[in-house]
Amino acid sequence: MKKVFKKLLAITLVAMITISAVGCGKEENALTKIKDAGKIVVGTSPDYPPFEFLISEDGKSKIVGADIDLAQKIADKIGVKLEIKSMDFDSLLPALQSGKVDMVITGMTPDETRKKAVDFSDIYFKGVNGVLVKEENVDKIKSEDDLKKVNLGVQKGSTQETYVKDKLKIEKYKALKAVPNLVMDLKSGKIDAIVLNDKVAKINEGKYDNVKLVKDLKLTGGGDEEAMAIAVKKGDNKELLKLMNEEIKELQSSGEYDKILSNAVEEVSKAKQ
Ligand code: ARG
């Protein structure tokens, strides 16, 4: 009897240890995983200058921009290398959820739908949206209502798409994977206007002769604001997020983030020459 009891106790103990070990394994600490790998992988859609864009260096294309500098600062703070993965904007969150990337930095707005799927850092930049049109149409768009009368273009899966669909209640619009494709369609007259970040719009205005950012246009209901934060996979990410938020705070209070951003704007204009 005693022997049987001892055996049972042993089996129970082994089972308990196994269960708790499996339990721990499921909740892998995101920061430990990154440290063990010696690198942090960032996913980005490099079509949004000055935040992320491509330049050519020694005949090769390179991803640069304010978001990439921010990613590098975070990698440095953790003490690991930074690896950048370029993807279409609408593939980034699925890649984060499946563990292909450790974080997404791509001018992403932490909206309520996304917050259900992933976690976000504090906001590192608060921008506004603007409307880019062909020069000859610049006087045709004076209000949000005017937007309903033209062929609109937005980036697929963006908060600008949500604004056009849910706030303006426009059913027919063009959603493309990358911003440069939208600008090409604008230039060729396939679309009349693009809703996007106003800094990105200004850069495109400077890049092409016949596209213009509409001035003094009041957008509402999420159309006016474009906050940006870093996305990470849900799970045991508290330490990783804490570290990211510390870095964001430091960069902001020291004024370094503003410098990063203005350097990126300068880099765009250099790349153009
Ligand atoms: N802020 C918008 C969003 O989160 C647009 C971001 C676009 N970013 C980019 N790299 N193209 O949906």
Side-chain angles (χ1 to χ4, degrees):
M1 189 65 183
K2 232 180 170 185
K3 242 187 185 170
V4 174
F5 179 72
K6 262 193 186 163
K7 215 173 180 183
L8 260 178
L9 190 70
I11 291 170
T12 317
L13 270 177
V14 169
M16 274 169 70
I17 290 166
T18 316
I19 288 166
S20 66
V22 170
C24 286
K26 226 169 66 189
E27 271 277 302
E28 190 178 18
N29 181 301
L31 187 59
T32 314
K33 180 185 164 252
I34 291 162
K35 281 187 178 160
D36 288 349
K39 63 175 183 184
I40 184 161
V41 185
V42 60
T44 195
S45 165
D47 63 341
Y48 221 52
F51 301 100
E52 44 270 323
F53 55 102
L54 292 167
I55 57 164
S56 112
E57 203 177 75
D58 306 324
K60 276 196 214 137
S61 82
K62 188 179 171 197
I63 304 173
V64 295
D67 280 354
I68 308 304
D69 290 349
L70 174 61
Q72 185 63 58
K73 292 271 177 200
I74 286 161
D76 292 347
K77 196 173 170 83
I78 305 174
V80 290
K81 276 205 240 141
L82 176 70
E83 186 181 312
I84 307 164
K85 278 203 175 137
S86 168
M87 282 174 214
D88 287 338
F89 184 76
D90 62 346
S91 315
L92 286 166
L93 289 190
L96 182 63
Q97 286 177 300
S98 67
K100 280 199 195 93
V101 298
D102 300 308
M103 59 177 173
V104 167
I105 309 191
T106 196
M108 186 168 274
T109 307
D111 73 1
E112 292 312 312
T113 319
R114 289 175 183 158
K115 276 189 201 163
K116 285 183 196 141
V118 295
D119 286 335
F120 283 96
S121 71
D122 291 342
I123 285 161
Y124 62 84
F125 183 74
K126 237 186 201 150
V128 289
N129 279 314
V131 175
L132 199 64
V133 293
K134 231 175 159 178
E135 192 158 23
E136 64 227 43
N137 290 332
V138 80
D139 294 325
K140 283 196 197 144
I141 295 170
K142 294 209 156 59
S143 70
E144 237 175 6
D145 269 341
D146 291 340
L147 287 177
K148 298 179 186 168
K149 297 174 199 145
V150 299
N151 283 324
L152 275 186
V154 286
Q155 183 161 43
K156 200 165 185 221
S158 66
T159 43
Q160 287 82 6
E161 178 173 13
T162 313
Y163 162 72
V164 165
K165 204 168 54 181
D166 299 348
K167 172 69 182 55
L168 298 183
K169 305 253 183 276
I170 297 176
E171 279 170 23
K172 265 184 83 183
Y173 57 85
K174 201 161 183 185
L176 298 183
K177 281 191 183 292
V179 174
N181 302 347
L182 288 166
V183 180
M184 288 308 124
D185 274 12
L186 184 71
K187 279 165 63 77
S188 67
K190 283 192 191 131
I191 52 176
D192 303 312
I194 310 171
V195 183
L196 77 174
N197 175 282
D198 78 331
K199 275 189 185 293
V200 180
K202 269 211 188 85
I203 283 174
N204 279 286
E205 182 186 61
K207 202 163 154 188
Y208 304 103
D209 298 335
N210 52 350
V211 305
K212 279 265 162 305
L213 171 66
V214 181
K215 284 205 182 72
D216 305 320
L217 178 63
K218 184 88 196 83
L219 305 181
T220 59
D224 50 345
E225 211 185 68
E226 198 205 29
M228 299 178 183
I230 306 171
V232 296
K233 194 178 172 183
K234 277 197 187 289
D236 188 1
N237 57 22
K238 279 207 176 62
E239 281 175 71
L240 178 62
L241 279 174
K242 185 169 170 266
L243 195 141
M244 285 175 170
N245 290 339
E246 273 167 19
E247 186 60 33
I248 291 170
K249 211 172 182 180
E250 256 168 56
L251 291 174
Q252 271 168 349
S253 57
S254 63
E256 210 179 329
Y257 185 77
D258 291 339
K259 271 190 222 145
I260 287 178
L261 199 58
S262 54
N263 284 344
V265 173
E266 219 168 274
E267 185 142 31
V268 184
S269 54
K270 267 195 288 175
K272 253 189 343 184
Q273 288 154 13

